[in-house]
Amino acid sequence: MPMKLNLGTTQLDLELPVIMGILNVTPDSFSDGGQFSEPDSALRHAVSMANAGATFIDVGGESTRPGAADVSADRELERVIPLIEKIRGESDVLVSIDTSKPAVMVEAVRAGATLINDVYGLRREGALEAAAGLGTAVCVMHMQGEPRTMQESPHYDDVIAEVSTFLAEARDRCITGGIRADRIVIDPGFGFGKSPRHNLELLVNLRRFTELGLPLLVGLSRKQTLGHLTGRGVGERQAASLAAAVMAFERGANIVRTHDVEDTVDALKVVQAVIAAGNE
Ligand code: YH5
């Protein structure tokens, strides 16, 4: 049965690769140096990613990079809400909101977002209730610890089993809380409380997470593990990111979150065509 994600107004077909373009609107955003924090340049970048084939624009106003400090709800709201309104005014592209705060979820959905992407997996107070009440789709991600300290000494006895159990429990919590299964996306959370070795193990065994029967999102774009493997700085990890995206898609990822939309769209078109030809 072809997998679909229920976005309320539309059923998103997950048979073909779905690309999510990253739009950080944090002044300190590590991987793009905050170059999109000016409202106009952020809007232009969103439209250009949509034209390059992004299905979603993932708007984030809360820095979740390793070591980052918390942002207040008011600061986050003033960064993301006008931008979501403008994106939706200029384009039919879908918007996801990268937040863990209930107030931001509510306002972002009112402004036109249809997917709530929460790196805390709806575990913060009021988040599950807010998301369930909004009736949108959600992405629940695994994270060990919290952004400020999560990379200090990540430890697992069995990273695959532990992330898998976490995601199964997150799914059950969502369903019990009133979010229907056809609105839930899961994500193993590359780089969120994981060493390079843990991240490699997650990528090798990514297929295991498809056993939960839900769409799978991955975010590897420009992350530290790729720097660790290539010796390259954050602004020169495009090729490494593309290799990781290809391998994740081959292992069952449905949605790929990336800074480099155009290249990722092309690469995954080729991979998809090869997989389809192999199934004929
Ligand atoms: C994710 O994986 N990641 S924000 C460090 C980097 C580069 C990029 C040092 N939000 C995810 O993108 N949402 C983020 O280099 C996410 N999955 C989902 N669902 C961190 C990020 C990054 C961090």
Side-chain angles (χ1 to χ4, degrees), residues 44-118:
R44 282 200 305 276
H45 189 55
V47 171
S48 106
M49 290 194 288
N51 291 336
T55 298
F56 287 101
I57 305 298
D58 190 42
V59 177
E62 166 188 62
S63 183
T64 42
R65 78 185 151 96
D70 256 354
V71 172
S72 77
D74 285 348
R75 289 294 303 282
E76 207 179 316
L77 284 166
E78 72 190 30
R79 287 175 188 168
V80 301
I81 302 305
L83 181 57
I84 295 171
E85 287 169 347
K86 286 186 199 141
I87 294 171
R88 295 289 302 163
E90 289 223 358
S91 165
D92 286 334
V93 72
L94 301 173
V95 171
S96 66
I97 176 68
D98 192 338
T99 191
S100 49
K101 295 190 183 71
V104 179
M105 295 174 186
V106 170
E107 290 303 310
V109 170
R110 191 198 46 72
T114 52
L115 174 67
I116 294 169
N117 175 29
D118 182 0

Side-chain angles (χ1 to χ4, degrees), residues 129-151:
E129 294 76 7
L134 290 165
T136 51
V138 300
C139 176
V140 287
M141 194 193 81
H142 174 271
M143 168 164 59
Q144 184 183 78
E146 54 180 273
R148 207 169 49 77
T149 52
M150 65 191 177
Q151 290 307 99

Side-chain angles (χ1 to χ4, degrees), residues 83-265:
L83 181 57
I84 295 171
E85 287 169 347
K86 286 186 199 141
I87 294 171
R88 295 289 302 163
E90 289 223 358
S91 165
D92 286 334
V93 72
L94 301 173
V95 171
S96 66
I97 176 68
D98 192 338
T99 191
S100 49
K101 295 190 183 71
V104 179
M105 295 174 186
V106 170
E107 290 303 310
V109 170
R110 191 198 46 72
T114 52
L115 174 67
I116 294 169
N117 175 29
D118 182 0
V119 299
Y120 280 87
L122 303 174
R123 285 178 292 157
R124 292 183 115 189
E125 188 167 348
L128 178 62
E129 294 76 7
L134 290 165
T136 51
V138 300
C139 176
V140 287
M141 194 193 81
H142 174 271
M143 168 164 59
Q144 184 183 78
E146 54 180 273
R148 207 169 49 77
T149 52
M150 65 191 177
Q151 290 307 99
E152 285 171 11
S153 55
H155 171 84
Y156 300 84
D157 291 325
D158 181 341
V159 67
I160 306 304
E162 289 171 46
V163 172
S164 188
T165 300
F166 174 97
L167 293 174
E169 287 173 4
R171 170 199 58 192
D172 295 346
R173 236 183 110 243
C174 285
I175 291 171
T176 305
I179 301 174
R180 285 168 37 179
D182 65 354
R183 294 183 187 269
I184 305 171
V185 177
I186 52 171
D187 181 341
F190 286 98
F192 285 83
K194 283 127 189 149
S195 68
R197 174 51 57 183
H198 295 139
N199 290 316
L200 287 178
E201 210 173 317
L202 287 170
L203 185 49
V204 170
N205 297 288
L206 199 69
R207 276 267 169 229
R208 288 278 303 279
F209 302 111
T210 65
E211 291 166 13
L212 294 171
L214 297 175
L216 185 59
L217 186 153
V218 295
L220 283 145
S221 187
R222 300 188 188 176
K223 284 188 177 172
Q224 250 159 24
T225 293
L226 304 177
H228 175 84
L229 293 171
T230 59
R232 292 196 180 272
V234 76
E236 43 182 32
R237 296 178 187 163
Q238 289 88 336
S241 301
L242 213 50
V246 165
M247 298 200 78
F249 183 71
E250 281 190 286
R251 285 162 178 72
N254 303 103
I255 307 176
V256 173
R257 184 178 179 277
T258 182
H259 298 85
D260 303 298
V261 170
E262 191 171 332
D263 288 350
T264 309
V265 166

